[in-house]
Amino acid sequence: MPEPFEPLESCETCSDTPSDQPVDLAATGTATLRGGPRSRPWRRRPLPRLRVRPSRAARRAAAAGPGQGSRGLWSDAWHDLRRNPVFVLSALVILFLVTIAIWPQLIADGNPYQGNLAKAQDGPAPGHPFGFDLQGRDVYTRTVYGARASITVGICATAGAALLGSVLGGLAGFFGGWWDALLSRIADVFFGIPILLGGLVFLSVVTSGSVWPVVGFIVLLGWPQISRIARGSVVTVKQQDYVLAARTLGASNGRMLLRHIAPNAVAPVIVVATIALGTYIALEATLSFLGVGLKPPTVSWGIDISSASTQIRNAPHMLLWPAGALSITVLAFIMLGDAVRDALDPKLR
């Protein structure tokens, strides 16, 4: 096998080196390869520089300057939400819906109960852009006033389910043992009840047509979902070092729950509750459409959709506007929940 290098016969820097001795390549810096007179310098290659892209939180801290870069979970979430167009758009739509639910007379000066049978099923007319329904009532006015019942049911049912589920799930996750097992089995029982079948059975015996029986039914079947989310979040948070340190220092169970665990475990509950709010509004409309939810004279999108479903060929405008308002409302709350989830999820930070 041939030698990789030939000994140098003459070199200015190594003329004293005998031809039969190995050449110090590091000293000479060059070597003559066999097969040609070309010399190749030996150089040490520099190590490649690794470019590490700083995280989003680090970039914010650098941009904020010294003393202003450290923020908590909620301030970081609000910083992201303000720059999220989905959140801004959905929040503006929800703000408008809540405003007309509280003060519908701001954009509708008519009476949702007053009708003129001579104009029954008529199309749009001056002063009545959405037309008239079966009893000659203004569809625009009823669509505006229908937001009050749907928003009220959605917000009250979500608040009740979130409060009940958070308390029960948080206690189960914190104490564990037989309390956890008991609440888990009770939640499994409610999970096994089909929500539409339960609504038909429960609300069919209720004669009141107000929003509160519907709210109570949704809370009754909605708290197990929130309870499971709250339990899992509390179980994760109570194993953190700051909770163990508080327990070691002698903090009571109530102080640990209220000061250390609850503020750090409530984020998943808020996300699920925000998305569930839109679902509850759609559930109320479904129950009212089936005739077991809200009942006349209450103005509701579900009631108007139910009465217009039989005349969809003759007067499609009666169904289009309340159904469109319901769809926009549900979509706005679901988009808001998705934006809040993206801002509070630590895996996306």
Side-chain angles (χ1 to χ4, degrees):
M1 187 173 182
E3 294 284 338
F5 300 103
E6 290 183 355
L8 295 175
E9 296 180 358
S10 63
C11 180
E12 295 179 359
T13 60
C14 55
S15 58
D16 297 336
T17 304
S19 60
D20 57 347
Q21 297 295 327
V23 180
D24 188 0
L25 298 179
T28 60
T30 59
T32 303
L33 301 178
R34 179 181 295 273
R38 184 175 300 176
S39 299
R40 181 178 180 181
W42 290 79
R43 299 176 182 175
R44 179 178 296 175
R45 290 186 178 181
L47 295 176
R49 295 182 179 180
L50 298 178
R51 294 185 178 180
V52 180
R53 185 178 181 182
S55 62
R56 184 166 52 182
R59 293 197 301 269
R60 289 188 197 143
Q68 301 179 3
S70 58
R71 290 198 296 251
L73 173 65
W74 299 105
S75 58
D76 280 343
W78 175 242
H79 185 273
D80 290 341
L81 289 174
R82 287 183 301 173
R83 289 159 176 79
N84 190 346
V86 175
F87 172 79
V88 175
L89 178 61
S90 59
L92 290 177
V93 173
I94 292 173
L95 179 62
F96 172 75
L97 292 171
V98 172
T99 302
I100 65 173
I102 300 175
W103 300 290
Q105 62 274 10
L106 293 177
I107 60 173
D109 54 358
N111 188 345
Y113 304 104
Q114 183 179 0
N116 185 358
L117 293 178
K119 299 181 179 180
Q121 301 185 23
D122 285 354
H128 306 277
F130 292 176
F132 300 88
D133 62 0
L134 285 172
Q135 301 180 21
R137 298 171 297 190
D138 185 21
V139 176
Y140 171 77
T141 303
R142 291 187 62 84
T143 301
V144 173
Y145 276 81
R148 173 177 295 177
S150 298
I151 297 295
T152 302
V153 170
I155 293 178
C156 293
T158 302
L163 180 61
L164 182 61
S166 299
V167 172
L168 296 180
L171 294 177
F174 182 77
F175 291 105
W178 65 269
W179 178 255
D180 185 13
L182 178 62
L183 286 180
S184 297
R185 300 294 78 77
I186 295 176
D188 291 340
V189 172
F190 284 96
F191 266 119
I193 301 176
I195 192 165
L196 286 180
L197 179 60
L200 291 173
V201 174
F202 178 80
L203 296 175
S204 61
V205 298
V206 178
T207 58
S208 175
S210 64
V211 300
W212 302 116
V214 180
V215 170
F217 165 73
I218 295 177
V219 171
L220 184 64
L221 293 186
W223 72 266
Q225 180 186 12
I226 306 294
S227 176
R228 286 192 173 184
I229 299 297
R231 176 190 174 277
S233 182
V234 169
V235 168
T236 302
V237 171
K238 78 173 184 179
Q239 299 175 358
Q240 301 297 321
D241 293 338
Y242 56 87
V243 178
L244 299 178
R247 187 187 299 273
T248 304
L249 294 175
S252 62
N253 292 335
R255 182 178 180 83
M256 285 190 294
L257 277 172
L258 297 178
R259 296 293 301 275
H260 301 286
I261 296 179
N264 297 284
V266 72
V269 175
I270 293 177
V271 173
V272 175
T274 307
I275 298 176
L277 200 155
T279 306
Y280 294 159
I281 292 177
L283 177 61
E284 176 273 322
T286 303
L287 295 174
S288 299
F289 179 83
L290 296 175
V292 295
L294 303 180
K295 301 177 179 62
T298 304
V299 182
S300 170
W301 291 332
I303 295 176
D304 290 346
I305 293 173
S306 177
S307 61
S309 60
T310 58
Q311 304 295 327
I312 188 172
R313 293 186 177 180
N314 300 328
H317 63 275
M318 295 170 48
L319 178 64
L320 176 63
W321 299 111
L326 176 63
S327 301
I328 292 174
T329 304
V330 174
L331 181 62
F333 279 106
I334 292 177
M335 291 172 57
L336 181 71
D338 289 340
V340 173
R341 179 196 59 194
D342 295 341
L344 295 178
D345 191 354
K347 297 179 181 179
L348 302 177
R349 309 191 70 78

